[in-house]
């Protein structure tokens, strides 16, 4: 069964460093998303992406964040200058056609900022 | 603003039924979802219901939707120890169709042997 994959599974970085989290969505999917879950808190929407542009972003998704689909398979989330409060589990998701189609989630990348 | 609320914890005995409840605020939600998260793992889609439906059954899972009260429930029949996990309710938010999901805080289901 096709699945969303994410790398790395765990990323440790120093405050102020840039990180890139990578995702490979399901191959025929057209809509892509990033969410994050701070330990013990709700899963929060960050950004949705379609047709090579951002469809919607939350207030969390400030200028420190960016997303890119550099080729036909990868979807990346970049955090330019990480802060302690960026420590969280980051989930990538994708859906097939309409934005209201079911979203399938990857296993997540745990980001730890020291 | 949008909000989804769930109770935090439910404990049941193996073989009993579990009912996890959720309330939401956005009346324009198109789909409502249940996701399962096992320790250290990602979000696994369990089931979903379209907003014009009242009930959906899928093997041991039954989803009930009361659109008037904006209440969603997930019933797990014959609960097994392998069902122990965190269960998240989520709604697709907004009429702009950007696909944004709003999650509840998750209900931890503990199944005792």
């Amino acid at each position: 069964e096709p699945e969303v994959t994410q790398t790395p599974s765990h990323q440790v970085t120093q405050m102020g460093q840039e990180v890139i989290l990578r995702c490979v969505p399901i191959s025929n999917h057209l809509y892509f998303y990033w969410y994050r879950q701070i330990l013990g808190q709700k899963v929060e929407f960050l950004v949705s992406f379609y047709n090579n542009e951002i469809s919607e972003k939350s207030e969390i998704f400030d200028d420190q964040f960016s997303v890119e689909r550099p080729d036909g398979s990868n979807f990346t989330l970049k955090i330019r200058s990480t802060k302690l409060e960026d420590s969280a589990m980051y989930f990538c998701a994708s859906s097939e056609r309409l934005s209201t189609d079911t979203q399938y989630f990857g296993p997540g990348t745990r980001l730890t900022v020291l | 603003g949008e909000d989804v609320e769930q109770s935090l914890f439910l404990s049941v005995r193996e073989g009993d039924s579990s009912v996890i409840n959720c309330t939401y605020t956005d009346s324009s939600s198109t789909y409502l979802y249940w996701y399962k998260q096992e320790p250290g793992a990602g979000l696994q889609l369990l089931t979903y219901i379209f907003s014009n439906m009242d009930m959906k059954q899928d093997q041991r899972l039954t989803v009930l939707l009361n659109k008037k009260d904006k209440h969603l429930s997930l019933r797990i029949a014959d609960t097994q120890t392998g069902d122990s996990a965190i269960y998240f309710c989520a709604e697709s938010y907004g009429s702009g169709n950007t696909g944004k999901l709003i999650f509840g805080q998750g209900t931890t289901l503990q199944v005792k042997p």
Side-chain angles (χ1 to χ4, degrees):
Chain A
E1 185 176 323
E3 58 183 18
V4 176
T5 59
Q6 290 185 243
T7 53
S9 56
H10 192 189
Q11 173 90 46
V12 181
T13 190
Q14 295 290 326
M15 190 170 57
Q17 295 296 303
E18 175 183 286
V19 295
I20 297 176
L21 309 183
R22 301 180 192 280
C23 168
V24 179
I26 295 172
S27 62
N28 62 334
H29 285 191
L30 300 178
Y31 289 82
F32 314 111
Y33 311 87
W34 284 100
Y35 293 80
R36 78 172 186 189
Q37 185 183 28
I38 295 172
L39 188 64
Q41 297 186 24
K42 290 187 179 186
V43 176
E44 302 171 289
F45 170 81
L46 291 178
V47 66
S48 59
F49 190 87
Y50 169 70
N51 200 26
N52 279 321
E53 59 183 29
I54 291 173
S55 307
E56 185 177 358
K57 58 184 181 180
S58 71
E59 57 193 28
I60 303 166
F61 195 89
D62 61 22
D63 291 344
Q64 293 299 311
F65 291 87
S66 62
V67 288
E68 194 179 26
R69 189 154 162 80
D71 53 43
S73 59
N74 290 284
F75 179 52
T76 61
L77 174 69
K78 182 194 287 187
I79 309 174
R80 285 190 188 82
S81 178
T82 50
K83 303 188 282 285
L84 294 176
E85 54 265 37
D86 293 328
S87 295
M89 181 74 89
Y90 288 81
F91 293 107
C92 173
S94 68
S95 61
E96 186 174 357
R97 297 179 304 270
L98 301 173
S99 58
T100 48
D101 265 359
T102 303
Q103 293 180 30
Y104 292 89
F105 282 73
T109 293
R110 180 165 297 285
L111 176 65
T112 302
V113 183
L114 302 175
Chain B
E2 68 273 17
D3 197 17
V4 177
E5 294 291 331
Q6 299 176 238
S7 53
L8 294 181
F9 186 77
L10 176 66
S11 180
V12 300
R13 291 244 172 243
E14 191 174 18
D16 289 349
S17 292
S18 308
V19 179
I20 302 171
N21 295 300
C22 169
T23 57
Y24 62 97
T25 57
D26 182 28
S27 58
S28 66
S29 292
T30 312
Y31 287 92
L32 294 128
Y33 302 88
W34 285 103
Y35 284 87
K36 176 182 180 183
Q37 185 181 38
E38 296 181 12
L43 297 167
Q44 174 195 354
L45 176 67
L46 273 183
T47 188
Y48 62 93
I49 188 166
F50 191 51
S51 58
N52 69 354
M53 297 169 65
D54 298 324
M55 186 181 89
K56 180 179 178 183
Q57 186 148 7
D58 184 1
Q59 299 182 334
R60 292 191 297 121
L61 305 178
T62 303
V63 180
L64 294 177
L65 176 60
N66 181 328
K67 204 171 179 185
K68 174 176 166 290
D69 294 338
K70 298 189 187 127
H71 182 266
L72 182 74
S73 68
L74 173 70
R75 178 177 181 270
I76 306 173
D78 187 25
T79 314
Q80 304 297 305
T81 53
D83 295 324
S84 294
I86 302 175
Y87 290 80
F88 291 94
C89 165
E91 62 169 343
S92 60
Y93 175 74
S95 57
N97 286 339
T98 60
K100 172 182 176 181
L101 290 182
I102 305 297
F103 283 84
Q105 62 268 59
T107 299
T108 298
L109 175 64
Q110 179 190 68
V111 183
K112 296 178 181 176

